[in-house]
Amino acid sequence: MLESMSSDRFHPHLNSLISQALEHVGINPIGLRPSITFAILEGTRTHIDTWGLSNLNYNSPATDQTPFHLASLAKQICALVILIAENDGRLDLSDHLGRYIKRLPAVISAQKISDLLFHRGGVRDHWALATALGWRAGDRIDTSDVMRLVQNERTLNFEPGARFLYSNTGYVLLAELAAHLYKTPFDTLARQLVFAPANMPTASFHLSFGVPMLNRIVGYQLSSTDDQWTERDPPYAVAGATCLRASANDMMSFARALTSENVFPKAVLSKFNSSAEELGYFPQPYGFGQFILRDAASNGAYARHGGFDYGFNSVFLRHLRQPFAVFAASAASEPEIEVAADRVFRSLCGELLPTHAVVPAHRASSLTTRPELRPGCYRSKLGDDVRVIEKVGDNRFRLKWMQGFDLRPSATCWILDGTPWELRQAMDGTSITLENTVSGQQDQLDILPSQRSWEMPIDALFLNREHQAILRLTGGTSPNVKLSFAKGCEHTATAVSENLLVWDGGFWAEIYREAGEVVKLIVNHPRCLKVVFSRVSDVAGYQ
């Protein structure tokens, strides 16, 4: 049995606080399991607990110096680099991207730097776009692949500035911009401008598949069939949006640096600790790679962002007025680690936090008993996207959006896109209300009527002309439709109606007909809308 490896113990109650939080969400950190870490900054002191093995094949224990893959926590580093570049006089946040990077498509060149930072540019997310075009799960993708996808883009999800929609591609473009301005590779630039000044010795961006990683933690997922751990490492080497690797000790140093007046310029930190709304851009809590939550009445203010990629989950929370920070990471595909970290953070900060930021672990649900949910396809009013709820066990449901998340029998909360959404209301199995317990935002999901009398082409070819992607649709009289892409990816979609297909990963396709014939499929994803496939008689010259 592996006990925790703790450093700098200074409060015995922290051990029980962390243990209770992990137990609350069903995570057992003890034993021969993948790595997990919990780090707390309280005043000038740090407490770090690390459990598990960095590699199950070699029985190598993880320590507070072992870097985790931190996924979207990379965006804070990227945003900080951009703010330092602005402070150096190299750019203005109101500038358009095309002023600095030439030969970009018009819709990308016209993007304002501020729109990209605040996820208001409408840029399609490259992971969703790649999957919509037939890339397979597990296919390697690096920054050059993302830029090739960007070069073919002629359409946005919406007009820039119209609304908030999280886009990884926007932060890849920001990393490219920073590298161009300083004429330095982004990984080197991040080390010079952030990691070295903040004393983060093991932090890095791993942006090459050909370069071995020393002291790395391997990501895993527990098989639902045989309870065995399966390696699930992120196949990414993408700057700006992800691929940050840092240890618990690094993140505590980063938290200290963000409260110091001697590491980063005051003007940079002032902006970095502000939301888009506070700076006069957009009415939203998202700021520079993080959510900023404030409440003047309770004197509370904190920054929060989570991250998830293949095999890894992480979250970083820090109070903006008090010297408190919590960092947690898991290499075992455990999104519940975020709820546990929220619980510990609130316990430390108490009433200094905004009242609407109370996470499900501390908030009495409006439901005295959780109602029986109705499996099926639902349309989201907030994002107008399609989500699927399926029953996967006794009183256990999975909300299939960008990936499957279970609603556990003892909880009323799903972790979606890095933040907890709590079930607030269910009406006769036809409509449910979810609330984001970080931002207070609500969404209503209405069930879509299921129709089984439909006809689809037995075998039809479709072409996306922007990216020269080929899709074969095989239908028939069954509600199941087979989608086969030229790149080798295959999906089994369900026809919810004669005009709507849905399949795993949060994808749905609107079906357009002329004279009864299917002529067009418009593939959608919450972060990638309106990828058009038009029917063609053959694909000669396109393969």
Side-chain angles (χ1 to χ4, degrees):
M1 176 179 294
L2 289 178
E3 301 294 338
S4 71
M5 298 186 65
S6 299
S7 65
D8 200 10
R9 295 185 184 274
F10 55 90
H11 270 312
H13 81 276
L14 288 182
N15 293 320
S16 60
L17 183 63
I18 294 170
S19 297
Q20 290 169 10
L22 291 173
E23 182 180 0
H24 178 84
V25 297
I27 294 178
N28 180 10
I30 306 300
L32 297 175
R33 55 150 293 150
S35 304
I36 185 171
T37 191
F38 235 103
I40 296 170
L41 172 69
E42 189 176 20
T44 59
R45 299 167 297 185
T46 60
H47 174 103
I48 301 176
D49 277 331
T50 305
W51 301 265
L53 301 172
S54 60
N55 190 317
L56 297 182
N57 293 326
Y58 298 105
N59 289 330
S60 51
T63 72
D64 60 353
Q65 300 287 341
T66 312
F68 283 74
H69 176 93
L70 300 186
S72 287
L73 297 191
K75 293 180 178 66
Q76 296 181 44
I77 306 300
C78 183
L80 194 53
V81 168
I82 291 296
L83 289 178
I84 292 172
E86 181 195 34
N87 193 68
D88 289 346
R90 296 174 185 263
L91 59 82
D92 189 282
L93 298 189
S94 62
D95 290 340
H96 293 91
L97 193 62
R99 176 177 176 180
Y100 303 101
I101 303 179
K102 309 303 181 184
R103 296 183 296 278
L104 290 172
V107 295
I108 304 299
S109 182
Q111 291 284 318
K112 287 184 179 180
I113 297 171
S114 58
D115 286 349
L116 296 175
L117 283 164
F118 301 137
H119 298 293
R120 305 284 299 208
V123 179
R124 288 167 167 170
D125 189 276
H126 55 266
W127 276 299
L129 177 60
T131 305
L133 297 172
W135 292 51
R136 295 163 298 184
D139 281 352
R140 286 183 170 184
I141 183 168
D142 61 18
T143 301
S144 63
D145 294 318
V146 176
M147 294 308 295
R148 279 194 290 272
L149 289 171
V150 165
Q151 284 294 343
N152 292 323
E153 285 292 85
R154 302 294 180 267
T155 306
L156 299 173
N157 287 323
F158 48 79
E159 286 298 311
R163 65 185 179 95
F164 174 90
L165 184 61
Y166 198 93
S167 172
N168 286 286
T169 307
Y171 270 74
V172 176
L173 290 168
L174 290 170
E176 287 291 288
L177 170 62
H180 174 80
L181 291 173
Y182 286 91
K183 295 181 170 49
T184 304
F186 183 76
D187 52 345
T188 303
L189 190 60
R191 185 165 57 251
Q192 293 173 349
L193 298 183
V194 179
F195 301 150
N199 190 28
M200 303 168 68
T202 58
S204 67
F205 277 92
H206 189 78
L207 303 179
S208 174
F209 294 117
V211 178
M213 287 180 285
L214 300 178
N215 195 30
R216 80 182 185 103
I217 288 179
V218 178
Y220 295 88
Q221 184 171 34
L222 190 64
S223 171
S224 59
T225 57
D226 58 8
D227 285 335
Q228 298 296 311
W229 292 107
T230 302
E231 282 196 25
R232 191 170 167 81
D233 252 12
Y236 317 134
V238 179
T242 184
C243 293
L244 169 66
R245 293 186 179 264
S247 67
N249 190 64
D250 289 327
M251 296 307 293
M252 291 296 93
S253 294
F254 186 47
R256 282 192 294 270
L258 294 175
T259 61
S260 170
E261 297 181 355
N262 303 317
V263 179
F264 301 114
K266 287 184 179 180
V268 169
L269 287 182
S270 177
K271 278 194 174 182
F272 187 67
N273 288 330
S274 301
S275 68
E277 183 171 18
E278 291 168 325
L279 294 173
Y281 287 96
F282 304 105
Q284 67 182 43
Y286 197 93
F288 295 91
Q290 59 197 339
F291 290 93
I292 303 292
L293 286 303
R294 297 180 187 270
D295 188 328
S298 65
N299 194 36
Y302 78 109
R304 183 194 192 283
H305 207 288
F308 69 88
D309 272 336
Y310 272 51
F312 290 90
N313 295 89
S314 57
V315 64
F316 183 47
L317 306 102
R318 58 185 181 87
H319 205 281
L320 300 182
R321 296 178 181 170
Q322 301 292 327
F324 290 116
V326 171
F327 165 73
S330 166
S333 304
E334 293 170 318
E336 298 88 351
I337 191 72
E338 293 197 36
V339 178
D342 283 327
R343 181 184 178 98
V344 170
F345 187 67
R346 179 160 185 82
S347 296
L348 290 175
C349 295
E351 296 305 315
L352 293 175
L353 289 185
T355 54
H356 71 264
V358 184
V359 299
H362 301 271
R363 177 177 182 162
S365 173
S366 57
L367 302 171
T368 54
T369 59
R370 201 183 73 198
E372 183 74 11
L373 295 177
R374 181 176 170 184
C377 293
Y378 290 74
R379 175 79 70 172
S380 163
K381 284 194 172 181
L382 183 63
D384 197 33
D385 52 333
V386 175
R387 307 182 184 186
V388 178
I389 294 179
E390 63 178 16
K391 191 169 185 177
V392 293
D394 290 341
N395 204 23
R396 187 183 183 98
F397 293 84
R398 177 171 292 134
L399 178 59
K400 301 172 75 173
W401 181 54
M402 287 173 48
Q403 57 179 313
F405 293 105
D406 289 356
L407 185 62
R408 296 181 178 276
S410 61
T412 58
C413 167
W414 279 295
I415 303 294
L416 297 177
D417 207 15
T419 55
W421 288 77
E422 184 169 348
L423 179 64
R424 287 293 178 212
Q425 189 176 29
M427 311 220 6
D428 301 324
T430 61
S431 177
I432 65 174
T433 300
L434 301 175
E435 181 177 340
N436 187 315
T437 59
V438 171
S439 67
Q441 192 175 42
Q442 288 196 343
D443 190 12
Q444 180 177 318
L445 305 183
D446 297 318
I447 198 166
L448 296 171
S450 180
Q451 302 176 18
R452 295 304 184 193
S453 57
W454 54 271
E455 293 182 2
M456 293 293 288
I458 298 297
D459 196 0
L461 290 172
F462 296 82
L463 174 69
N464 174 270
R465 299 185 185 277
E466 289 178 347
H467 296 274
Q468 302 295 290
I470 302 165
L471 164 64
R472 182 183 297 273
L473 184 149
T474 306
T477 57
S478 164
N480 291 329
V481 176
K482 185 177 180 181
L483 304 174
S484 305
F485 291 85
K487 281 185 170 289
C489 185
E490 293 187 353
H491 299 284
T492 297
T494 300
V496 178
S497 71
E498 64 178 356
N499 296 318
L500 180 65
L501 299 174
V502 298
W503 63 95
D504 284 351
F507 286 88
W508 73 97
E510 301 167 73
I511 304 167
Y512 288 81
R513 302 171 186 263
E514 290 181 3
E517 290 290 320
V518 176
V519 296
K520 187 185 299 182
L521 298 177
I522 298 184
V523 178
N524 298 278
H525 180 274
R527 294 182 181 169
C528 179
L529 304 176
K530 297 179 175 55
V531 181
V532 179
F533 284 84
S534 300
R535 189 167 180 175
V536 293
S537 57
D538 63 70
V539 292
Y542 294 109
Q543 292 178 320

